[in-house]
């Protein structure tokens, strides 16, 4: 067995995720790692890079084109065979769930590929988690801004203090059995309808 | 009353997702106690992978795709069965404005005639070869698609050698029109609305349609995960019934405007309803101000359009062999034949009084005109189902058909 690890190509339009995968591969000792973010001229690039393993984001809309390219020896020189090992249903399931697929040059031994895919799966999962958390945080921020706006409308139109405006929002939400942000949204919308100068 | 059975079905944003969309939107699935969850996908590979991983129980699939899965021709595929088809026809071949000018100079006409326009394309190809120009490049959506095989069939029968005289690449449906505009490809074969989109933008001209190459020919099917189908036969049966009733709804001309409007929604196809309506009504704007009436452009229900013919499966298999995707051997032919399940279709739909053909296979190309056939239940009219070159495909004479199509020296 040669000491050099397989050459890996990562095709992912998401640059941040691709970099996270690359870092993981480099930590694991892979020296030949290439990232591709766009599909233009991809056949030529793949032929030049001549990878042993190709990792692609499952959401890539050009996957049919890429798969066909891998199967045409013209483009890749060596036939790229399987989405890892078809017999290993569990590892494939976890890959599909994480949203990543890997194509492997025919003849590359399974034990050399498994750690690459496992790493890609765990990094894809970690990345999705991160994105989800970011979205939640962003949603939380939007809610706070909305409540701020609603408070200001109440303070201005009813001459309330900030605390009283918030207390009124909270009380109304409790009475109507809904969230403060929902009440704030209704108030901001209503104010926008009644007064075109107030931005909804 | 028992709870609804959730069934998750993947689909691609195409006109012929109509049967699945209507099964959900018009309540046919709910009436069968199915909570039909439709998941819009971005690639056929994803549909295949998620079916294999158990995320989907069934999916909108290219008609040859389940056969390719079962033959092991694609990465990571699992056993998939076809209990029903999702309509007939629905594709066209669109070419760039400049290729159309060359074809017109060689006799191509606006009438979508596959014979005449095929000969014109062959003349253009020959002239380009003599002039030392680059080969024309055509796109299809998948190597195992009806588009791919009908394009090759049309070219080969017109005197163009697909692997020699032109180049065929794979491209996703919604990228086709732009690829034509930017000269990345000279033409393509794709399902609607992606031909009409190119015509409407002025980037392309329709050269011919699937219904002209092979009338009443198969296009998409319902692919079902075989393990799920074994475990939940009653749920599969309910799904088939719901889609059958949805197909009947889609087949009524009065429903076309509503159907086009539903499909136009951004969560389904996301293309203006007017473009979708062309393929549904058969009034096809082919470009250059010409509109051609193709009454059988897309057939969702009539002519046994949801029946999974074994002769369709075997024709696709014959073309996989013809173009070197699989070696011909009886076990392989048997896999193709057994992928399509008219037995399930009959068992589910007979009690409903559905029109059922007596046979599970037919000689494709034998019906020159619409023909009432011996059918159980309601009356059934099949065909015409002719190939444009007048050839016939007899599934009982598969070997001879394959031999006749193979280039000398192969096989």
């Amino acid at each position: 067995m040669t000491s050099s690890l397989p050459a890996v190509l990562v095709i992912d339009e998401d640059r941040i995720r691709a970099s996270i995968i690359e870092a993981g591969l480099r930590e694991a000792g892979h020296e030949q790692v290439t990232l591709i973010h766009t599909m233009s001229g991809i056949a030529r690039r793949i032929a030049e890079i001549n990878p042993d393993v190709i990792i692609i984001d499952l959401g890539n809309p050009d996957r049919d084109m890429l798969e066909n390219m891998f199967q045409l020896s013209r483009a890749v020189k060596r036939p790229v065979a399987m989405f890892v090992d078809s017999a290993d249903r569990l590892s494939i399931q976890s890959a599909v769930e994480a949203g990543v697929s890997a194509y492997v040059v025919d003849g590359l031994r399974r034990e050399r590929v498994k750690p690459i895919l496992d790493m890609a799966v765990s990094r894809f999962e970690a990345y999705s988690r991160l994105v989800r958390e970011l979205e939640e945080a962003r949603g939380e921020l939007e809610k706070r801004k909305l409540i701020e706006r609603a408070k200001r409308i109440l303070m201005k139109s009813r001459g309330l203090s900030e605390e009283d405006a918030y207390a009124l929002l909270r009380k109304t939400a409790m009475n109507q059995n809904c969230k403060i942000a929902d009440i704030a949204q209704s108030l901001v919308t209503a104010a926008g309808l009644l007064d075109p100068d107030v931005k909804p | 009353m028992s709870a609804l059975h959730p069934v998750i079905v993947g689909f691609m944003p195409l006109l012929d997702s109509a049967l699945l969309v209507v099964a959900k939107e018009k309540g046919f699935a709910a009436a069968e106690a199915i909570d039909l969850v439709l998941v819009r996908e971005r690639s056929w590979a994803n549909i295949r992978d998620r079916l294999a991983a158990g995320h989907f129980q069934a999916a909108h699939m290219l008609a040859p795709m389940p056969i390719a899965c079962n033959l092991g021709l694609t990465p990571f595929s699992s056993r998939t069965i076809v209990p029903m088809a999702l309509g007939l026809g629905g594709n066209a071949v669109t070419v760039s404005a400049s290729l159309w000018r060359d074809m017109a100079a060689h006799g191509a006409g606006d009438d979508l005639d596959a014979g005449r326009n095929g000969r014109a394309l062959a003349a253009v190809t020959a002239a380009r070869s003599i002039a030392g120009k680059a080969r024309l490049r055509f796109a299809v959506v998948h190597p195992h698609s009806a588009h791919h095989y009908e394009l090759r069939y049309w070219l080969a029968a017109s005197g163009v050698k697909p692997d020699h005289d032109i180049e065929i690449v794979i491209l996703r449906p919604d990228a086709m029109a732009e690829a034509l505009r930017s000269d990345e490809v000279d033409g393509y074969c794709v399902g609607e609305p992606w031909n009409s989109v190119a015509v409407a933008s002025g980037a392309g001209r329709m050269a011919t349609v699937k219904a002209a190459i092979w009338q009443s020919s198969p296009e998409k099917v319902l692919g079902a995960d075989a393990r799920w189908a074994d475990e939940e036969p009653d749920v599969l049966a309910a799904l088939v019934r719901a889609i059958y009733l949805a197909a009947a709804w889609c087949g009524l001309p009065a429903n076309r405007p509503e159907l086009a409007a539903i499909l136009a929604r951004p969560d389904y196809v996301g293309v203006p309803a007017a473009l979708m309506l062309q393929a549904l009504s058969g009034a096809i704007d082919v470009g250059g101000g010409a509109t051609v009436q193709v009454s059988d452009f897309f057939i969702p229900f009539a002519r046994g359009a949801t029946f999974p013919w074994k002769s369709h499966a075997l024709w696709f298999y014959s073309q996989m062999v013809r173009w070197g995707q699989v070696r011909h051997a009886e076990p392989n032919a048997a896999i193709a034949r057994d992928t399509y399940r008219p037995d399930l279709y009959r068992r589910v739909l007979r009690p409903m009084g559905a029109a059922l053909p007596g046979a599970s296979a037919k000689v494709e190309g034998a019906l020159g005109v619409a023909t009432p056939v011996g059918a159980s239940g309601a009356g059934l009219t099949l065909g015409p189902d002719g190939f444009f070159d007048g050839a016939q495909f007899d599934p009982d004479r598969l070997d001879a058909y394959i031999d006749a199509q193979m280039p000398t020296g192969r096989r």
Side-chain angles (χ1 to χ4, degrees):
Chain A
M1 185 177 156
T2 58
S3 60
S4 70
L5 290 165
V8 185
L9 168 64
V10 180
I11 302 175
D12 195 339
E13 285 165 326
D14 187 329
R15 285 167 186 272
I16 297 170
R17 184 170 53 199
S19 304
I20 294 172
I21 302 285
E22 182 188 21
L25 288 165
R26 297 219 182 268
E27 275 166 32
H30 288 267
E31 284 164 8
Q32 304 174 70
V33 182
T34 314
L35 310 184
I36 290 186
H37 306 296
T38 62
M39 296 297 131
S40 64
I42 188 126
R44 191 177 40 81
R45 294 291 312 278
I46 293 175
E48 283 165 7
I49 296 160
N50 198 18
D52 301 303
V53 179
I54 301 172
I55 290 178
I56 313 178
D57 153 33
L58 276 185
N60 187 314
D62 290 309
R63 216 149 64 83
D64 292 315
M65 182 252 276
L66 290 166
E67 268 190 10
N68 186 58
M69 204 175 279
F70 302 157
Q71 289 183 334
L72 294 178
S73 44
R74 262 185 307 177
V76 192
K77 299 277 196 300
R78 288 175 290 169
V80 171
M82 285 292 112
F83 183 144
V84 198
D85 179 351
S86 326
D88 187 359
R89 198 178 159 78
L90 266 184
S91 84
I92 287 189
Q93 238 158 2
S94 64
V96 171
E97 246 131 65
V100 60
S101 60
Y103 298 82
V104 180
V105 169
D106 206 7
L108 197 64
R109 288 217 312 278
R110 200 177 157 270
E111 57 269 28
R112 302 191 69 198
V113 180
K114 185 92 166 67
I116 298 174
L117 184 72
D118 288 348
M119 192 281 299
V121 166
S122 70
R123 297 237 161 181
F124 258 68
E125 280 168 349
Y127 182 69
S128 324
R129 218 164 30 240
L130 195 70
V131 169
R132 211 163 40 239
E133 281 166 12
L134 258 172
E135 272 166 12
E136 279 165 15
R138 204 170 290 143
E140 194 54 43
L141 190 66
E142 288 303 314
K143 262 190 250 167
R144 278 172 204 221
K145 280 190 195 159
L146 204 56
I147 294 170
E148 276 309 309
R149 270 212 295 271
K151 272 197 307 193
R152 236 165 286 128
I153 291 168
L154 287 178
M155 286 157 70
K156 196 176 148 204
S157 63
R158 295 188 50 177
L160 296 175
S161 70
E162 189 171 347
E163 291 96 292
D164 290 346
Y166 185 74
L168 181 59
L169 283 173
R170 200 178 53 190
K171 190 165 146 256
T172 314
M174 277 168 67
N175 288 345
Q176 299 192 9
N177 198 22
C178 57
K179 295 193 174 103
I180 296 184
D182 297 335
I183 293 294
Q185 176 71 68
S186 316
L187 185 64
V188 170
T189 307
L193 288 172
L194 295 172
D195 180 358
D197 291 339
V198 179
K199 284 201 200 100
Chain B
M1 193 63 199
S2 61
L4 293 183
H5 293 283
V7 179
I8 306 174
V9 176
F11 77 99
M12 287 287 278
L14 291 161
L15 175 83
D16 51 23
S17 64
L19 279 63
L20 295 168
V21 169
V22 166
K24 179 180 176 68
E25 293 294 330
K26 298 304 292 179
F28 295 109
E32 292 287 345
I34 286 182
D35 176 16
L36 182 57
V37 180
L38 295 179
V39 179
R40 188 165 114 144
E41 269 302 342
R42 306 182 76 188
S43 67
W44 293 108
N46 253 20
I47 290 214
R48 177 203 65 213
D49 292 346
R50 297 190 69 182
L51 194 68
H55 291 188
F56 298 155
Q57 282 78 55
H60 179 218
M61 287 182 115
L62 299 160
M65 203 176 182
I67 301 168
C69 285
N70 292 344
L71 285 169
L73 301 185
T74 51
F76 184 41
S77 48
S78 65
R79 208 158 58 83
T80 307
I81 60 165
V82 175
M84 74 188 303
L86 298 177
L88 300 169
N91 300 340
V93 178
T94 296
V95 299
S96 68
S98 72
L99 175 54
W100 178 256
R101 274 195 298 278
D102 292 348
M103 285 172 66
H106 285 92
D110 284 334
D111 56 2
L112 301 172
D113 185 275
R116 175 152 75 124
N117 293 353
R119 283 191 299 277
L121 180 57
V124 172
T125 311
R128 288 179 70 97
S129 170
I130 291 164
K133 288 188 186 164
R135 292 187 301 172
L136 293 170
R137 183 184 289 167
F138 279 76
V140 295
V141 300
H142 198 275
H144 308 121
S145 64
H147 319 78
H148 191 198
Y149 303 129
E150 73 208 18
L151 177 70
R152 281 174 174 265
Y153 187 93
W154 176 57
L155 292 168
S158 300
V160 179
K161 291 195 201 75
D163 287 319
H164 181 264
D165 301 338
I166 63 150
E167 189 186 351
I168 296 181
V169 298
I170 304 299
L171 212 55
R172 62 181 207 261
D174 62 348
M176 294 273 185
E178 184 49 40
L180 204 60
R181 174 178 290 289
S182 59
D183 286 329
E184 278 172 59
V185 299
D186 302 292
Y188 57 74
C189 180
V190 73
E192 278 292 275
W194 305 108
N195 299 284
S196 291
V197 164
V199 169
S201 74
R205 285 284 293 236
M206 269 191 238
T208 191
V209 296
K210 182 179 176 77
I213 296 169
W214 178 15
Q215 282 186 289
S216 307
S217 59
E219 174 50 39
K220 299 293 181 336
V221 294
L222 182 74
D225 175 12
R227 281 162 308 158
W228 172 74
D230 287 344
E231 286 161 16
E232 303 277 4
D234 297 341
V235 183
L236 174 66
L239 180 66
V240 168
R241 279 193 299 270
I243 298 172
Y244 180 81
L245 293 172
W249 188 93
C250 293
L252 293 174
N255 291 333
R256 284 172 188 160
E258 186 183 352
L259 175 55
I262 295 172
L263 289 172
R265 280 167 39 181
D267 46 339
Y268 291 127
V269 185
V271 162
L275 287 182
M276 225 81 72
L277 206 49
Q278 289 187 31
L280 293 174
S281 68
I284 308 295
D285 176 359
V286 302
T291 298
V292 178
Q293 185 64 39
V294 186
S295 61
D296 57 355
F297 184 89
F298 171 60
I299 309 172
F301 184 68
R303 303 189 192 174
T306 56
F307 189 79
W309 291 99
K310 286 190 180 282
S311 42
H312 288 169
L314 285 168
W315 187 81
F316 287 130
Y317 169 76
S318 78
Q319 302 305 293
M320 291 176 183
V321 173
R322 180 181 191 181
W323 305 116
Q325 293 177 335
V326 69
R327 193 177 52 85
H328 179 39
E330 184 41 39
N332 287 341
I335 288 172
R337 194 183 292 121
D338 295 344
T339 300
Y340 280 36
R341 297 292 301 276
D343 56 319
L344 287 179
Y345 183 94
R346 282 204 185 84
R347 195 187 309 155
V348 171
L349 296 177
R350 180 171 291 125
M352 291 173 70
L356 298 170
S360 293
K362 60 189 170 89
V363 177
E364 301 295 335
L367 301 175
V369 293
T371 309
V373 295
S376 71
L380 181 65
T381 299
L382 296 178
D385 61 6
F387 291 93
F388 82 100
D389 61 348
Q392 294 190 356
F393 170 63
D394 181 350
D396 287 340
R397 301 189 65 242
L398 178 65
D399 292 349
Y401 188 80
I402 286 173
D403 277 345
Q405 286 186 334
M406 289 304 261
T408 44
R410 217 160 75 200
R411 192 180 173 215

